[in-house]
Amino acid sequence: MLDASSTLSSSGYNHPALLKLMTNPNNLSTFVNRPALGILPPENFPDKLTESLLSIAPSGMSRVQTMACGSCSNENAYKAMFIWYRNKERGQSGPSAEDISSCMVNQGPGCPDLSILSFTGAFHGRTLGCLATTHSKVIHKLDVPSFDWPIAPFPRLQYPLEEFSRENAQEEARCLEEVEDLIVKWRQKGKPVAGIVIEPIQAEGGDNHASADFFIRLRRIAAKHGCAFHVDEVQTGGGCTGKFWAHEHWGSDDPADIVSFSKKLLTGGYYHKEALQADKPYRIFNTWMGDPSKNLFLCEVLNVIRRENLLEEVARSGKALINGLYELQAQYPGLLSRARGQGTFCAIDVRDDATRDKILVKTRDKGVILGGCGDRSIRFRPALVFKEYHVHLFLNIFNDVLTQFK
Amino acid sequence: MLDASSTLSSSGYNHPALLKLMTNPNNLSTFVNRPALGILPPENFPDKLTESLLSIAPSGMSRVQTMACGSCSNENAYKAMFIWYRNKERGQSGPSAEDISSCMVNQGPGCPDLSILSFTGAFHGRTLGCLATTHSKVIHKLDVPSFDWPIAPFPRLQYPLEEFSRENAQEEARCLEEVEDLIVKWRQKGKPVAGIVIEPIQAEGGDNHASADFFIRLRRIAAKHGCAFHVDEVQTGGGCTGKFWAHEHWGSDDPADIVSFSKKLLTGGYYHKEALQADKPYRIFNTWMGDPSKNLFLCEVLNVIRRENLLEEVARSGKALINGLYELQAQYPGLLSRARGQGTFCAIDVRDDATRDKILVKTRDKGVILGGCGDRSIRFRPALVFKEYHVHLFLNIFNDVLTQFK
């Protein structure tokens, strides 16, 4: 099988470097003894963090908090933004007696009516806090109580981006204007926006891209209104866009206040600026807070990425993939459209969802695992070792399948 | 060091059986290849579940859903209750067009105003859904937006329980009455209670116990009002009370609709009755949904528990521990009170929190790790291999420390 989905954009399989790591007896205790990381971390944990997560920290961020999965990462990142926002409001004074008594019974001002601004089509996870910022599919949201938080339109761009730059810039400006309006409106409603959360490429919601300019302006709007800016790289992080973080494509040295991750990083967690550090222990806390054994794997994964220049490989494979998709959509104009991508993080739309689903099955029967996203998109999420010859192998098989749908 | 806290009531360290498991080359791939369990489970996963989690399923439950941690387990258990409740309301008809459009923007009826009833002093985790049912400490809740959900009083009993049975029964009746009142009140408010969540022993909230009769009546009240009944065994499960699940002490063959777990089980997750199975795939879902490597460890842990009769050992050690605590509180009446416990899941109160904290440090300096809980309690959470002689070792050291606080 040729895997162009890699367990929902997570990691690959059976890499010899990881198998070797497992046979080193010095590593045994890291697997067998799972600590309560927040209170009893293993002695070598700071070193391992420096070697792994901190060695790939986004620009401007020197702190990282590990978590067990993507949802917990975002939930805790939201909490960090709420705590930061309220501390900012309080200034030097600590919580009031009313804060303390009201929070124990879920009421304000202790449990304040703060909000997180998210975007239509966004996906940030399925636990109750995350889910209030997820708007990709009905199946995720139906029947679950939620928060009245603002939802701004994510730009709906035309592809290829460079061919529609004027129209796309207009669409992005419209969305940014709406963001500012919502921030003002929710402040007036008594539910101020503590943070804005966004994916650098909306993944689950259908592989929706926006320009570097859009994200940089959005980040400025957040700062202007005193909101934290959280970039969710759970699906985009780890190298699949051709850079380690998708936000690096923006070329900003101050891209965000918080960056969350999981999947390809093997452990969940989030980076944050100094200011977003909770002011007291146990405010951001749980029993496990991640798993040092995943960190051990990550060290080795990073070694392999560096040694084998995998980010360059991804850029090369990604170029071959997107060019192949452009050719196919020219060849099958009624069937395929909107080919788009960054690195191997690519997608293409099919004329309707029923046809998309049939194509996914037929391609699988010919030995290629693909994934769907959005209403009628196919998404490509291969592992970093997906080389140019894998791309050509895939394109041939895909073409064979498409001829049946002409 | 003598560890009577075992990483917040999780597992012990360096058990030879687990170290041996790690050296078996057949197990390597389970550690190296973490699958997206919900869509691409490894071939042997159903067998491993049968051998591990399903072999210890609570009475009346044949289904289990694994998750990565305790908070995710409870978040998803709540979602299962919300989905079940709304499907029950709808009967044969599917979601309405209004359900579908409103849920995407966080509004009712698609995101309904349903609630979960919890108890004062409860701890069910720190993500936003769980946190709305957690009421143990200010530090967990302050500054985080919450839901207006009902909170009933947890019985505040007098110890030893058998000496105050009349007073305790009155207190429990008062709390149950309040539960029914709240269910009616929240239904009238338009925020019906979809589920009740409770710990068999409130752990983080200060080791608060209630009688089997209380839980059985509460379960009946839930059924009478059409609410699901969720027993959170994240801290109590796994054998530390002398039975595998603390709810087994109730002697009921239909204890609950949902039982969640984590910590000592090494993986998070929840058991549930057939009816609580979501009606469609992807409604309860995330990328990893647990970790098969933790399940592999759990199989071995269960083998050891059975082979070494560890539940009997815990019952024996627990008896020695509680008797020792009774003696110490008789010896230090101004300092210690309210000794209580089930198995080795024991606690004792100290006259004030400052003294409690000092005792914890002094005991640690003499080589014993203990934990605090509630306002001024000390909690005992040793691993299952904590034998009677460990208890006596501990009691001697503890006595040495206490003499300094007379």
Side-chain angles (χ1 to χ4, degrees), chain B residues 157-307:
Chain B
L157 303 188
Q158 297 179 66
Y159 302 91
L161 296 174
E162 19 337 324
E163 283 180 28
F164 298 92
S165 47
R166 200 175 51 84
E167 295 88 337
N168 288 342
Q170 273 175 2
E171 166 67 357
E172 293 189 336
R174 179 187 76 85
C175 295
L176 291 173
E177 207 172 304
E178 182 82 8
V179 167
E180 288 215 66
D181 286 352
L182 287 170
I183 292 174
V184 172
K185 204 170 151 195
W186 253 256
R187 195 189 300 138
Q188 285 164 351
K189 263 189 176 193
K191 300 180 179 182
V193 175
I196 295 177
V197 64
I198 196 162
E199 298 151 275
I201 305 168
Q202 281 193 339
E204 177 76 11
D207 275 41
N208 305 315
H209 293 250
S211 71
D213 186 58
F214 171 79
F215 290 104
I216 289 169
R217 280 167 194 263
L218 181 65
R219 201 245 180 292
R220 272 194 222 124
I221 289 173
K224 175 182 159 191
H225 291 277
C227 319
F229 188 60
H230 172 182
V231 176
D232 177 347
E233 293 247 24
V234 167
Q235 187 151 165
T236 50
C240 45
T241 68
K243 293 189 186 283
F244 199 87
W245 302 108
H247 69 250
E248 291 176 56
H249 292 281
W250 308 344
S252 165
D253 57 5
D254 182 26
D257 299 305
I258 291 204
V259 171
S260 56
F261 56 83
S262 190
K263 290 192 184 260
K264 278 197 178 5
L265 281 288
L266 306 172
T267 170
Y270 62 90
Y271 296 96
H272 60 89
K273 300 193 115 184
E274 200 82 16
L276 272 287
Q277 175 74 39
D279 54 324
K280 289 206 175 66
Y282 299 103
R283 298 200 72 174
I284 301 290
F285 189 84
N286 60 51
T287 298
W288 286 326
M289 299 182 99
D291 184 340
S293 74
K294 306 301 179 191
N295 230 54
L296 199 63
F297 280 141
L298 178 60
C299 289
E300 198 51 36
V301 166
L302 295 176
N303 286 339
V304 171
I305 289 177
R306 286 165 187 143
R307 199 166 58 223

Side-chain angles (χ1 to χ4, degrees), chain A residues 324-339:
Chain A
L325 293 177
Y326 285 148
E327 279 171 32
L328 286 172
Q329 81 181 13
Q331 204 177 327
Y332 302 96
L335 183 61
L336 300 179
S337 63
R338 301 178 80 239

Side-chain angles (χ1 to χ4, degrees), chain A residues 60-360:
Chain A
M61 297 190 194
S62 56
R63 288 175 182 255
V64 68
Q65 175 61 65
T66 57
M67 285 287 159
C69 71
S71 289
C72 283
S73 306
N74 284 340
E75 289 275 339
N76 281 285
Y78 295 176
K79 284 174 65 174
M81 295 195 284
F82 292 132
I83 290 169
W84 163 83
Y85 192 90
R86 285 292 288 140
N87 279 339
K88 204 165 47 114
E89 283 188 327
R90 284 192 196 102
Q92 293 304 312
S93 58
S96 67
E98 206 191 345
D99 283 340
I100 286 170
S101 61
S102 61
C103 79
M104 292 297 273
V105 289
N106 297 10
Q107 303 297 320
C111 292
D113 253 343
L114 294 176
S115 60
I116 302 287
L117 183 142
S118 56
F119 289 83
T120 53
F123 183 89
H124 301 291
R126 294 172 172 91
T127 48
L128 268 66
C130 294
L131 195 56
T133 57
T134 285
H135 316 283
S136 55
K137 285 178 193 147
V138 170
I139 203 79
H140 306 322
K141 305 224 4 133
L142 187 67
D143 298 342
V144 185
S146 195
F147 292 103
D148 176 29
W149 290 353
I151 309 158
F154 191 90
R156 184 79 187 156
L157 303 189
Q158 296 179 65
Y159 302 92
L161 296 174
E162 22 333 328
E163 283 180 28
F164 298 92
S165 47
R166 201 176 48 84
E167 295 88 336
N168 287 343
Q170 272 175 2
E171 166 66 357
E172 293 187 337
R174 179 188 74 87
C175 294
L176 291 172
E177 206 172 304
E178 183 81 8
V179 167
E180 287 214 69
D181 287 352
L182 287 169
I183 292 174
V184 172
K185 203 169 151 196
W186 252 255
R187 193 191 299 138
Q188 284 165 351
K189 262 192 175 191
K191 300 180 179 182
V193 175
I196 295 178
V197 64
I198 196 162
E199 298 150 276
I201 304 169
Q202 282 194 338
E204 177 75 11
D207 275 42
N208 304 315
H209 294 250
S211 71
D213 185 59
F214 171 80
F215 290 105
I216 288 167
R217 280 168 193 263
L218 182 65
R219 201 250 180 290
R220 270 193 223 126
I221 290 174
K224 172 181 160 193
H225 291 277
C227 320
F229 189 58
H230 171 181
V231 176
D232 177 348
E233 293 246 23
V234 167
Q235 189 151 164
T236 49
C240 46
T241 67
K243 293 191 185 281
F244 199 86
W245 301 109
H247 69 250
E248 290 176 57
H249 292 281
W250 309 343
S252 164
D253 57 6
D254 182 25
D257 299 305
I258 291 204
V259 172
S260 56
F261 57 83
S262 190
K263 291 189 182 263
K264 278 197 180 2
L265 280 288
L266 304 171
T267 172
Y270 62 91
Y271 296 95
H272 59 90
K273 301 193 114 179
E274 199 82 14
L276 272 286
Q277 174 75 37
D279 55 323
K280 289 207 175 63
Y282 298 103
R283 299 199 73 173
I284 301 289
F285 189 83
N286 61 50
T287 298
W288 287 325
M289 299 182 97
D291 183 341
S293 74
K294 307 300 178 191
N295 230 55
L296 200 62
F297 280 140
L298 178 60
C299 290
E300 198 50 37
V301 166
L302 296 177
N303 286 339
V304 171
I305 289 176
R306 285 163 188 146
R307 199 168 57 223
E308 302 182 9
N309 292 315
L310 288 184
L311 297 185
E312 283 171 38
E313 288 280 355
V314 169
R316 193 159 32 234
S317 307
K319 209 168 169 186
L321 179 57
I322 193 72
N323 285 334
L325 293 177
Y326 285 148
E327 279 171 32
L328 286 172
Q329 81 181 13
Q331 204 177 327
Y332 302 96
L335 183 61
L336 300 179
S337 63
R338 301 178 80 239
R340 56 208 184 271
Q342 212 160 39
T344 56
F345 197 105
C346 290
I348 193 161
D349 280 12
V350 181
R351 66 174 167 235
D352 54 60
D353 62 341
T355 309
R356 187 262 315 264
D357 293 349
K358 275 185 214 151
I359 290 175
L360 290 179

Side-chain angles (χ1 to χ4, degrees), chain A residues 3 5-8 10-15 18-19 22-23 27-29 31-36 39-40 68-72 75-76 78-79 82-83 86-87 90 95 99-101 103-107 109-115 126-149 151 262-268 280-288 291 293-294 297 369, chain B residues 3 5-8 10-15 18-19 22-23 27-29 31-36 39-40 68-72 75-76 78-79 82-83 86-87 90 95 99-101 103-107 109-115 126-149 151 262-268 280-288 291 293-294 297 369:
Chain A
D3 187 356
S5 172
S6 58
T7 58
L8 296 177
S10 297
S11 51
Y13 294 96
N14 287 323
H15 198 287
L18 297 188
L19 291 167
M22 288 289 301
T23 58
N27 292 330
L28 274 190
S29 83
F31 289 94
V32 169
N33 304 320
R34 187 173 190 179
I39 50 167
L40 294 163
C69 71
S71 289
C72 283
E75 289 275 339
N76 281 285
Y78 295 176
K79 284 174 65 174
F82 292 132
I83 290 169
R86 285 292 288 140
N87 279 339
R90 284 192 196 102
D99 283 340
I100 286 170
S101 61
C103 79
M104 292 297 273
V105 289
N106 297 10
Q107 303 297 320
C111 292
D113 253 343
L114 294 176
S115 60
R126 294 172 172 91
T127 48
L128 268 66
C130 294
L131 195 56
T133 57
T134 285
H135 316 283
S136 55
K137 285 178 193 147
V138 170
I139 203 79
H140 306 322
K141 305 224 4 133
L142 187 67
D143 298 342
V144 185
S146 195
F147 292 103
D148 176 29
W149 290 353
I151 309 158
S262 190
K263 291 189 182 263
K264 278 197 180 2
L265 280 288
L266 304 171
T267 172
K280 289 207 175 63
Y282 298 103
R283 299 199 73 173
I284 301 289
F285 189 83
N286 61 50
T287 298
W288 287 325
D291 183 341
S293 74
K294 307 300 178 191
F297 280 140
I369 304 176
Chain B
D3 186 357
S5 172
S6 58
T7 58
L8 296 179
S10 298
S11 51
Y13 294 97
N14 287 324
H15 198 287
L18 297 187
L19 290 167
M22 287 291 300
T23 58
N27 293 329
L28 275 190
S29 83
F31 288 94
V32 170
N33 305 320
R34 188 173 191 179
I39 50 167
L40 294 163
C69 71
S71 289
C72 282
E75 289 275 341
N76 281 284
Y78 295 177
K79 284 175 65 176
F82 291 132
I83 290 170
R86 285 291 289 140
N87 279 339
R90 284 191 197 105
D99 283 341
I100 286 171
S101 61
C103 79
M104 292 297 275
V105 289
N106 297 10
Q107 303 297 320
C111 292
D113 251 343
L114 294 176
S115 61
R126 294 172 172 90
T127 48
L128 269 64
C130 294
L131 195 57
T133 59
T134 285
H135 316 283
S136 55
K137 286 178 191 145
V138 170
I139 202 81
H140 306 321
K141 308 239 338 149
L142 187 68
D143 298 341
V144 185
S146 194
F147 292 104
D148 176 29
W149 290 353
I151 309 158
S262 190
K263 290 192 184 260
K264 278 197 178 5
L265 281 288
L266 306 172
T267 170
K280 289 206 175 66
Y282 299 103
R283 298 200 72 174
I284 301 290
F285 189 84
N286 60 51
T287 298
W288 286 326
D291 184 340
S293 74
K294 306 301 179 191
F297 280 141
I369 304 174

